[in-house]
Amino acid sequence: MVKCKNCEHVWPVNAILKRYITLEIGMDCPHCSKTQYLSKDYRQRSMLATLVIPLLLLIPAFFDFSFPIIAVIFSAAFIALTFIHLFTLELACEEETWRNSHYG
């Protein structure tokens, strides 16, 4: 589950969902009100997981599936990606950008 890096409290599911709906860079912890940001590692992992979607678009080009089967595959992939994003979310106390990251 998602924990605040400042107070170590577990975020409720509605706060996690709100994090995905908002366009703000940071979001305040529901317990300690300290602003939390998505970690750099999480953003990299979520980007790689999201790259599965364009690969799914190639299924009709290589396989002769009917439309209902393709719709089920896309729906299952969407649900799986949503749960992967929700349950692997990692937070950071400060905004981690490519510029202020430490290499090596």
Side-chain angles (χ1 to χ4, degrees):
M1 292 305 296
V2 178
K3 288 185 178 182
C4 174
K5 291 293 182 180
N6 187 45
C7 66
E8 294 294 322
H9 277 91
V10 176
W11 280 32
V13 175
N14 62 350
I16 299 169
L17 291 174
K18 184 180 175 184
R19 171 68 211 131
Y20 279 105
I21 295 171
T22 62
L23 296 176
E24 299 173 14
I25 295 172
M27 188 172 155
D28 294 339
C29 172
H31 298 283
C32 68
S33 299
K34 174 105 170 129
T35 303
Q36 299 288 298
Y37 303 94
L38 295 177
S39 72
K40 183 181 75 162
D41 293 335
Y42 169 75
R43 287 184 289 155
Q44 288 173 345
R45 281 195 318 268
S46 67
M47 180 184 64
L48 290 174
T50 306
L51 288 176
V52 170
I53 294 170
L55 294 176
L56 289 175
L57 294 174
L58 295 175
I59 288 176
F62 294 108
F63 302 103
D64 190 26
F65 290 136
S66 64
F67 177 76
I69 293 174
I70 293 173
V72 167
I73 291 171
F74 275 94
S75 299
F78 175 76
I79 291 169
L81 284 173
T82 301
F83 278 105
I84 288 170
H85 282 282
L86 286 177
F87 292 110
T88 62
L89 185 91
E90 285 182 16
L91 299 173
C93 286
E94 59 185 39
E95 185 179 4
E96 299 172 339
T97 62
W98 297 106
R99 290 185 179 172
N100 68 1
S101 64
H102 301 287
Y103 296 104

